[in-house]
Amino acid sequence: MSIESDLRKDGIEVVSKLNTIEVNSIANCIANKLVSAFPEFNLKSNELFSRLSKINMYKAKIPDGMAEANYFYKNSSIYFNANLSFEDLEEFAVHECIHHLQEVKDNKNHLLKMGLCDLTEFKIYGMGLNEAAVQLMTSKAMGTEKEDVKYFGINFVTDSPNCYPLECTLAKQMAYITGEYALYESALFATDSFKNKFIQATSKETFIAIENAIDDIINAEEAIIKINNKIQTIEDRNKKVDHLVNKINTLKNKIAVTFMRTQNLIISSYFDREFNKISTIEQIEDYRKELYNFQKFIGISDDYVFFNNYYIEKMAALDHKYNVIENGGIETAVIEQKAPNKLILIFRAIKSILFNSAQDTQVRI
């Protein structure tokens, strides 16, 4: 299939090509931003500029709901929405330029990997996770401020309010476990370090389930865009439109359910395993802090109680584990009648507050 056919399939129609000066301006700006945002990777601005300035860039008519910029690896080209001013191109070019840097091709120009996305099998794996990682890198490079948002009935704080916000939130939760370095290193250089580190912290089955879930979310979002565009072509409200609207609502519900289930899987798979590793008083406090701080990354809805209940459960378990460790690891030891340690008083106070709050209403953490 030709490039033109691929573009027509996606509804993209080329209007004009950016000139060399315009391309070089964008390439130079993005190279500097990436070097500044990710010093840990020792990127060289002149090398990045050399690679990015070779990308073909076009203005094009792009369907409503589609990304304002799209990278095509087959001809190393970026297609920008023709409605964008030149001053706005940089913002949308960062994401697509990172895609260009991610590419791993064979000697026949066949794409094998793009960051966290694996194309070597019959099915593409990790597309959603890769898009999320690239968008998080884009937000960091652009200095995007965090925002409180609500999508599909889910409230959360995001680094990317306008592009893949749910996917980015799940990727941030995973990066909380592995560290952001592992996520960005694997995304930029197409390594397996992030995947392997996350599997070590949870399990291979958990990683695959999360990877597939994020793909399901991004596919459902794209399906909603296509249906909305189809509705726009229908002049009168009729049964067909009602059917399409119901289909959109079903997809929205699927996205919300998939997100929550995936978030809960990340929480339980990691913190259950970490709990079993605890053998000292110091590790108890480290665990409590790590679990407590995870709340900054979660999404909540009106009926979401999993994290609160999980936290209360773990506080009770930590209380018990503390007593066991204090008594030399003997589960059935008789505890001496003495003043409770300061740390155990903290656990009991937190457990009491959360339990009492949960009886009345959902605790907003």
Side-chain angles (χ1 to χ4, degrees), residues 33-223:
K33 285 186 178 296
L34 292 177
V35 169
S36 177
F38 304 100
E40 63 271 28
F41 297 136
N42 297 313
L43 302 172
K44 308 298 181 185
S45 57
N46 59 330
E47 294 177 3
L48 286 179
F49 171 77
S50 178
R51 294 177 65 181
L52 299 178
S53 63
K54 292 181 174 64
I55 301 175
N56 297 309
M57 301 185 188
Y58 300 89
K59 287 286 195 78
K61 294 180 181 178
I62 295 177
D64 291 340
M66 196 171 179
E68 299 289 4
N70 297 271
Y71 178 71
F72 274 62
Y73 76 90
K74 290 183 180 179
N75 64 345
S76 298
S77 299
I78 298 175
Y79 297 87
F80 296 101
N81 192 322
N83 294 326
L84 294 173
S85 65
F86 180 77
E87 291 72 23
D88 293 331
L89 297 187
E90 174 194 315
E91 175 185 351
F92 299 101
V94 178
H95 186 109
E96 310 312 321
C97 285
I98 293 175
H99 276 323
H100 179 72
L101 298 174
Q102 289 183 308
E103 292 180 339
V104 176
K105 296 180 178 179
D106 62 18
N107 53 14
K108 294 183 179 179
N109 203 42
H110 294 148
L111 188 63
L112 302 177
K113 291 191 71 176
M114 184 174 278
L116 297 162
C117 183
D118 190 342
L119 297 94
T120 58
E121 303 292 337
F122 294 108
K123 177 185 175 183
I124 298 175
Y125 292 96
M127 179 183 67
L129 181 57
N130 187 59
E131 289 292 350
V134 171
Q135 185 54 34
L136 287 172
M137 294 180 73
T138 299
S139 295
K140 186 172 183 179
M142 294 299 295
T144 306
E145 293 185 2
K146 291 181 178 4
E147 286 188 26
D148 290 292
V149 298
K150 184 176 183 177
Y151 287 103
F152 307 106
I154 303 170
N155 296 280
F156 54 99
V157 178
T158 178
D159 300 83
S160 178
N162 300 315
C163 185
Y164 304 127
L166 291 175
E167 295 88 337
C168 286
T169 298
L170 293 174
K172 286 277 284 190
Q173 292 176 9
M174 297 174 76
Y176 181 80
I177 294 170
T178 65
E180 287 189 351
Y181 179 92
L183 176 64
Y184 297 152
E185 189 267 343
S186 286
L188 192 58
F189 302 110
T191 72
D192 289 331
S193 59
F194 170 74
K195 175 181 178 180
N196 293 337
K197 197 168 184 179
F198 190 83
I199 288 175
Q200 186 177 15
T202 56
S203 70
K204 183 177 181 179
E205 293 74 20
T206 297
F207 178 83
I208 292 173
I210 296 168
E211 183 182 60
N212 289 336
I214 298 176
D215 280 344
D216 288 342
I217 290 173
I218 202 170
N219 289 333
E221 289 174 342
E222 290 177 356

